[in-house]
Amino acid sequence: MHIAVLSILPDVFDAYLAHGIVRRAIDGGVLKADIYNLRDFTTDRHRTVDDTPYGGGPGMVMKPEPFERAIEHVKSDGIETLTLVPSPQGRRFEQAVAEELSRESRRLLFLCGRYEGIDDRVREVYADLEISVGDYVLSGGELPALVIIDAVVRLLPGAVGDEKSLSEESFSWGILDYPHYTRPPEWRDLKVPDVLVSGNHGEIELWRRREALRRTLKRRPDLLKRAALSEEDKKLLESIKEEEH
Ligand code: 9D3
């Protein structure tokens, strides 16, 4: 996968991409990431990227020309590119969108806005896809771009070291995780459930599935409508619902 980012905060990306799974993906050749400082595509002495809004109102708006120069520079290598704009007005980001993007053969180019946003003509001319990461107010498109990059990179073949955790991820698709424990076996009078130290892997698997379904039913019942549930899952859910409270 090939990504490129335009931002006035390139350090934020450099820092995040220097760690963890994303770093390993880059080192392993699974991901190529080109981070550009939008200010490098200004032409004035003060490297100005923003200006006051037409029509008045608070805050500043990002000027179109630095984006234009930067986008044309990035695209000048002729590589097919899908241009994404993180925006509160965009399609809500979810795992299905991450999966679609992970299958994309085009380079993903992220245009990150700050202040009150980017001059709307940039979206009109260049945006292929606008994505929101949820209904809360952030200060710019950088964190949303990183959220999207992180979720997509995890899905690339060879990015997550342990192949087993990916197959477990698809097994548990659409439901919440089961509770996890590690040593010590007792902490603040709280004991690790006996079944997990029993060594009975069939029992452990059943318990985990049951607890995952129990949590989903209690905390996120909306997820159960879309989750990939087996016939056994449906029976487990019925027996959970029949338990006394
Ligand atoms: C307080 C400013 N708002 C006035 C109603 C508008 C506004 C402008 C710019 C709100 C947020 C932003 C910056 N946010 C993003 O660029 C952004 C975002 C977000 O804030 N929430 C969820 N997803 C995204 S994707 C990009």
Side-chain angles (χ1 to χ4, degrees), residues 2-4 71 74-84 104-111 126 128:
H2 188 178
I3 65 167
I71 293 165
V74 170
K75 289 184 173 177
S76 69
D77 60 14
I79 294 173
E80 288 292 324
T81 300
L82 182 80
T83 302
L84 293 98
E104 188 52 66
S105 63
R106 287 170 287 183
R107 169 175 56 196
L108 306 183
L109 170 59
F110 292 86
L111 312 184
Y126 290 113
D128 296 308

Side-chain angles (χ1 to χ4, degrees), residues 164-178 205-206 208-210 212-213 227-230 232-233 236:
K164 218 167 140 199
S165 39
L166 265 185
S167 73
E168 275 168 29
E169 235 166 73
S170 69
F171 173 68
S172 63
W173 199 90
I175 67 170
L176 300 181
D177 207 356
Y178 53 79
E205 208 182 296
L206 183 64
R208 284 178 168 170
R209 193 72 184 170
R210 197 177 168 82
L213 289 165
L229 296 183
S230 67
E232 185 181 3
D233 290 333
L236 281 172

